[in-house]
Amino acid sequence: MKKKNTLFTITFVTYIVAGAAAIFLFASNGSNLSHSQNDTTVVASVDSVDTIIPIESETPIQPIVPATPEEPPAEETPLVEETPPIEETPPSEEVIPEPPAEEINEEADDKETDDPIYYAFVVIDGVTNVRIRETENRSSAVLSHIDGGEKGYVLEQGKNRTKVLTEKGTIGYVFNAYITVSEIPKEDFPKEYR
C-alpha cells in the first residue's frame, strides 16, 4: 500500500512541475524559444517525495513583466479651451420692503378662521372583532368590538391608534391598520363633536 501511495505522490508532483513549466512557457508566449534554438528548458528531478531539486539551465530564466500601455501622443489629447472669467456684477442696492404688520396679521386671522376638516372611518372588509380600547395604550381595557364594513367618525387621529365614535355611540381607540379614513363635509359630522 505504501508503494502505491509513494508512486502516486511522485507522479502527482511530476505533473505539477510539468504543468508549472507549461504555464510558464505559455505565459512567456514562447519568447525564450523564438530567440534561439539552443536555449534549454527547465527540467526538475524528483529525489524523494518531499524534495524537488531543479536542474540549473544554461540561460537564466527571466521574470515575466506585463506590458505597460503606451501613453497617447501629445497631439491626440484634446485641447481644452479656457473660458473667459465671468464678470461679477455688484450686488444691487435695491431693498425689498417688508410688508406692513397689518397685512401679516390679516393672513394669520384668515388661517385661524379656516374650518377644521372632519373625517369618517370604515372598518376594512373581512376584519372581525376589532377592539375599541379605552385609551391609546395597547394594554388598556376593551370597551367594544366592531367588524368589517362598520362606520363611524374620527374624533382624533393618532400615530398608531385613532380616537373614534362608532355609529352605536362608543368612543374609544382603534388600531389604524384596521380602518380607512376619509374626509366628510361638516354637515355630516355630529354637531356635539364639532
Side-chain angles (χ1 to χ4, degrees), residues 133-145:
R133 296 191 179 272
E134 188 175 17
T135 66
E136 287 186 79
N137 191 342
R138 181 179 166 178
S139 61
S140 66
V142 176
L143 302 174
S144 180
H145 292 86

Side-chain angles (χ1 to χ4, degrees), residues 27 30-31 50 60 71 83 86 96 100 108 115 118 122 137 142 144 148-150 154 166 183 189 192:
S31 61
D50 296 332
E71 292 184 15
T83 56
I86 299 172
I96 301 172
D115 289 334
Y118 297 98
V122 177
N137 191 342
V142 176
S144 180
E150 290 190 43
V154 175
T166 66
E183 187 176 334
F189 202 81
E192 58 271 18

Side-chain angles (χ1 to χ4, degrees), residues 39-112:
D39 286 348
T40 59
T41 58
V42 176
V43 179
S45 65
V46 178
D47 287 344
S48 69
V49 177
D50 296 332
T51 309
I52 299 175
I53 302 172
I55 297 176
E56 298 291 329
S57 67
E58 294 175 9
T59 308
I61 300 172
Q62 297 184 4
I64 300 171
V65 178
T68 56
E70 294 182 14
E71 292 184 15
E75 298 173 346
E76 293 180 13
T77 56
L79 296 175
V80 178
E81 294 182 18
E82 291 185 22
T83 56
I86 299 172
E87 294 182 17
E88 293 184 16
T89 56
S92 65
E93 297 185 19
E94 183 180 335
V95 177
I96 301 172
E98 292 184 16
E102 296 171 3
E103 290 179 17
I104 296 173
N105 291 337
E106 287 176 14
E107 290 175 9
D109 290 341
D110 289 343
K111 290 180 182 178
E112 290 176 8

Side-chain angles (χ1 to χ4, degrees), residues 136 154-164 173-177 179 181:
E136 287 186 79
V154 175
L155 301 178
E156 185 181 310
Q157 285 185 310
K159 184 176 180 182
N160 295 320
R161 288 185 166 65
T162 298
K163 186 176 184 179
V164 297
Y173 291 86
V174 177
F175 190 59
N176 291 345
I179 60 172
V181 177

